[in-house]
Amino acid sequence: MQSAVACILHMDLDSFYVSVEVRRNPDLRDRPVVVGGGVVLSASYPARRFGIRSGMSTAAARRRCPRLVVVGGNFAEYAELSRRVFRICRRFTPVVEPISIDEAFLDVGGSVHLLGEPRVIGTSLRLAIRDETGLPSSVGIARTKHLAKIASRRAKPDGLVAVDPRRELAFLHALEVEMIWGIGPTTAAKLHRLGIRTVGDLAAVPVAGLAGSLGSGAARHLHALAWNRDPRSVRADGRRGSIGAQSTFGRNVTGRTAARRVLLRLADRVSTRLRAAGREGRTITVTARFADFETVTRRTTVPGTTSSTTMIYTVARGLLDELLRRSRGRGLRLVGVSVGGLRDAPPLQLELPLPGHDVPRPGSPGDLAQRAIDRAVDDARASFGREAVQRASLLGEIPLS
């Protein structure tokens, strides 16, 4: 139920991966820097002034900025700093919902009588993160999760924006329509063709008038957000029950090969986080959002817990292929993969080699070999950067099989 008081905070670490690299090497401060290898994972604000964005190839980024500094990165360090930041968040409220490695929602409604109004809490949170980790963050405060996330984007870099409930529609409707969470270049172009440039323009068009261009589901969803109708509450995560990652495409993706390449990157990212946290899981979930904004998930449970990149990807690929068969030709806007049912990595029970399994069972000779590969890759990346070792399928234009 939507609160009458603006007590939802969205905390977002600014250019997180780059900020960690600057923390380690202050000489990078104020320089155009990206973290990534073949693909930009994070770009500094000086780099963004050249039009460099996450998801862009580093080759294209270098063409835009020949002076660009490219850093491979260290995901184990990123994961540890993320955990430290979320522990700081939980000092201000137990109701913290991480939504990625560098951002979280907080509901501080129960903390105001002890810590002050939400703006005071947001300011204190940002200072604590800066003092204890050296990382800059931005905070948005509003009555809804959707508007709090928009407010944190408006606060960047390194700022705070609190939306007065009495003026939230005036604040929201004046923004460019691209500020709405989930509107990418393709949807924005469709809206522009309808003469819709601002969120206020979108709010003024009836759902029926949007459905012809966007589809009925997307029309209802975006129209509700334009009026700040977002009933979702902040859900405390306890100890995190799943670890996942997702990627939103700048255009509708229809090819299976392209979708699989993205899925492999996500599986690699998730499995690395699992191993860094000393966790394993059994339930693998794939999420797909189609061009009409319908979101579908498929999940399966594997025998025994795993943090293996190969196992997670192989299972996730089968789930993605099933979703693509049901897509009816609709393009993909988003793909995500997560591993749930987490527990601390247990002692490994060795198994005899058994025929008839597409995925190596935990403890089997094939699984032991994959674990050795994962450890070697993790060690190499920890020493030489995340891009030091990559799967051949993600290099250049080599397609996945």
Side-chain angles (χ1 to χ4, degrees):
M1 186 174 181
Q2 193 164 298
S3 171
V5 179
C7 59
I8 293 178
L9 275 61
H10 180 258
M11 182 284 304
D12 196 354
L13 297 170
D14 296 329
S15 299
F16 175 47
Y17 297 165
V18 170
S19 295
V20 176
E21 297 304 325
V22 171
R23 175 180 180 266
R24 184 192 304 155
N25 180 6
D27 290 342
L28 296 177
R29 190 178 309 279
D30 300 325
R31 298 178 64 185
V33 179
V34 299
V35 173
V39 176
V40 174
L41 299 177
S42 180
S44 68
Y45 285 93
R48 294 181 193 189
R49 288 197 283 271
F50 290 88
I52 297 170
R53 296 289 184 270
S54 297
M56 177 183 292
S57 72
T58 51
R62 286 187 187 277
R63 286 194 293 271
R64 293 184 179 222
C65 177
R67 299 183 295 110
L68 188 69
V69 179
V70 180
V71 181
N74 185 333
F75 204 88
E77 184 177 4
Y78 303 154
E80 173 56 30
L81 282 167
S82 173
R83 286 191 290 270
R84 287 174 59 185
V85 169
F86 292 150
R87 285 197 293 268
I88 293 170
C89 290
R90 293 185 185 96
R91 297 208 307 256
F92 291 85
T93 174
V95 189
V96 176
E97 180 183 350
I99 56 174
S100 72
I101 193 172
D102 58 353
E103 58 182 320
F105 287 109
L106 297 78
D107 187 333
V108 298
S111 304
V112 293
H113 62 292
L114 292 174
L115 303 177
E117 64 174 346
R119 180 185 286 271
V120 172
I121 295 175
T123 300
S124 299
L125 172 64
R126 293 183 56 247
L127 289 174
I129 292 172
R130 170 78 74 173
D131 290 345
E132 297 178 37
T133 69
L135 298 175
S137 62
S138 296
V139 168
I141 306 172
R143 289 194 310 137
T144 65
K145 294 171 84 170
H146 167 248
L147 195 54
K149 185 171 175 71
I150 287 178
S152 72
R153 289 177 63 187
R154 296 288 289 179
K156 288 181 173 293
D158 199 16
L160 181 148
V161 169
V163 182
D164 186 335
R166 296 167 297 183
R167 293 187 46 78
E168 61 188 15
L169 290 182
F171 171 86
L172 180 60
H173 287 177
L175 301 175
E176 295 178 347
V177 74
E178 288 86 347
M179 291 294 291
I180 286 187
W181 195 0
I183 292 184
T186 301
T187 301
K190 292 179 180 178
L191 294 172
H192 291 171
R193 286 194 290 270
L194 295 174
I196 297 171
R197 298 283 175 175
T198 68
V199 179
D201 294 338
L202 178 62
V205 178
V207 171
L210 299 170
S213 297
L214 304 180
S216 58
R220 288 193 301 271
H221 173 70
L222 295 180
H223 193 263
L225 294 183
W227 286 101
N228 196 32
R229 292 196 289 266
D230 181 6
R232 298 170 302 157
S233 60
V234 180
R235 296 176 298 175
D237 69 330
R239 183 164 190 197
R240 203 165 178 184
S242 66
I243 290 178
Q246 64 184 30
S247 178
T248 302
F249 304 115
R251 55 183 175 81
N252 292 332
V253 171
T254 55
R256 177 174 295 185
T257 297
R260 282 181 169 183
R261 286 169 65 88
V262 172
L263 188 72
L264 179 54
R265 286 194 184 95
L266 296 175
D268 186 33
R269 190 179 307 171
V270 169
S271 61
T272 302
R273 291 179 187 175
L274 285 168
R275 293 191 296 271
R279 305 277 273 168
E280 294 186 354
R282 294 188 62 194
T283 302
I284 298 172
T285 301
V286 170
T287 300
R289 180 176 299 152
F290 297 109
D292 61 358
F293 275 76
E294 180 186 8
T295 302
V296 185
T297 62
R298 292 290 183 273
R299 60 175 52 88
T300 191
T301 300
V302 297
T305 58
T306 186
S307 60
S308 161
T309 301
T310 297
M311 180 179 290
I312 293 169
Y313 170 67
T314 302
V315 174
R317 184 180 62 188
L319 297 174
L320 177 66
D321 288 350
E322 178 187 347
L323 291 173
L324 292 176
R325 285 193 293 270
R326 297 170 179 264
S327 68
R328 303 190 301 278
R330 296 172 292 173
L332 280 175
R333 294 184 58 87
L334 174 149
V335 169
V337 62
S338 66
V339 177
L342 299 186
R343 56 180 293 190
D344 292 335
L348 194 60
Q349 175 66 49
L350 300 183
E351 291 192 1
L352 294 173
L354 298 174
H357 292 287
D358 295 331
V359 180
R361 292 172 61 87
S364 68
D367 175 63
L368 294 177
Q370 290 297 334
R371 289 172 185 264
I373 292 172
D374 287 338
R375 283 196 299 271
V377 169
D378 291 344
D379 290 344
R381 287 174 171 172
S383 298
F384 304 108
R386 180 162 179 77
E387 302 302 324
V389 181
Q390 289 295 318
R391 293 176 179 263
S393 299
L394 297 180
L395 297 176
E397 299 299 322
I398 302 172
L400 297 181
S401 60

